[in-house]
Amino acid sequence: MNLEEIMQFLDHNPPAFLATLGTCGNPRVRPIQSPLLFKDRIYFCTSNTKGLYKHIKNYNGIEFCSCSKEGTF
């Protein structure tokens, strides 16, 4: 699957979910959508004042999941 196909999948199956380790040490899972394909990379945006930004900055391990209506991941 190439990046354009992945973007198409994400566009047709919102929202996706992003999991991080919270600053409290517990896992946090958030719905996320509106990906951007730019220079062969997929980006999601958040404000640098949000907990999501702090969690990604402090703990670089994240997980991302998206699922179609048919159950394809």
Side-chain angles (χ1 to χ4, degrees), residues 26 37 59:
N26 294 320
L37 179 61
Y59 308 103

Side-chain angles (χ1 to χ4, degrees), residues 5-71:
E5 291 170 323
I6 293 170
M7 282 296 296
Q8 206 171 36
F9 181 87
L10 294 174
D11 283 340
H12 289 105
N13 298 289
F17 295 90
L18 185 68
T20 64
L21 180 62
T23 51
C24 62
N26 294 320
R28 300 285 181 221
V29 179
R30 298 169 181 84
I32 193 164
Q33 56 188 39
S34 303
L36 172 67
L37 179 61
F38 181 71
K39 293 187 178 182
D40 295 328
R41 292 186 181 228
I42 296 174
Y43 293 89
F44 293 90
C45 296
T46 189
S47 169
N48 63 2
T49 62
K50 300 281 186 174
L52 174 61
Y53 177 84
K54 292 177 198 171
H55 297 167
I56 291 172
K57 190 169 170 87
N58 291 331
Y59 308 103
N60 62 2
I62 64 167
E63 289 192 8
F64 178 81
C65 182
S66 182
C67 180
S68 72
K69 294 167 188 70
E70 295 80 30

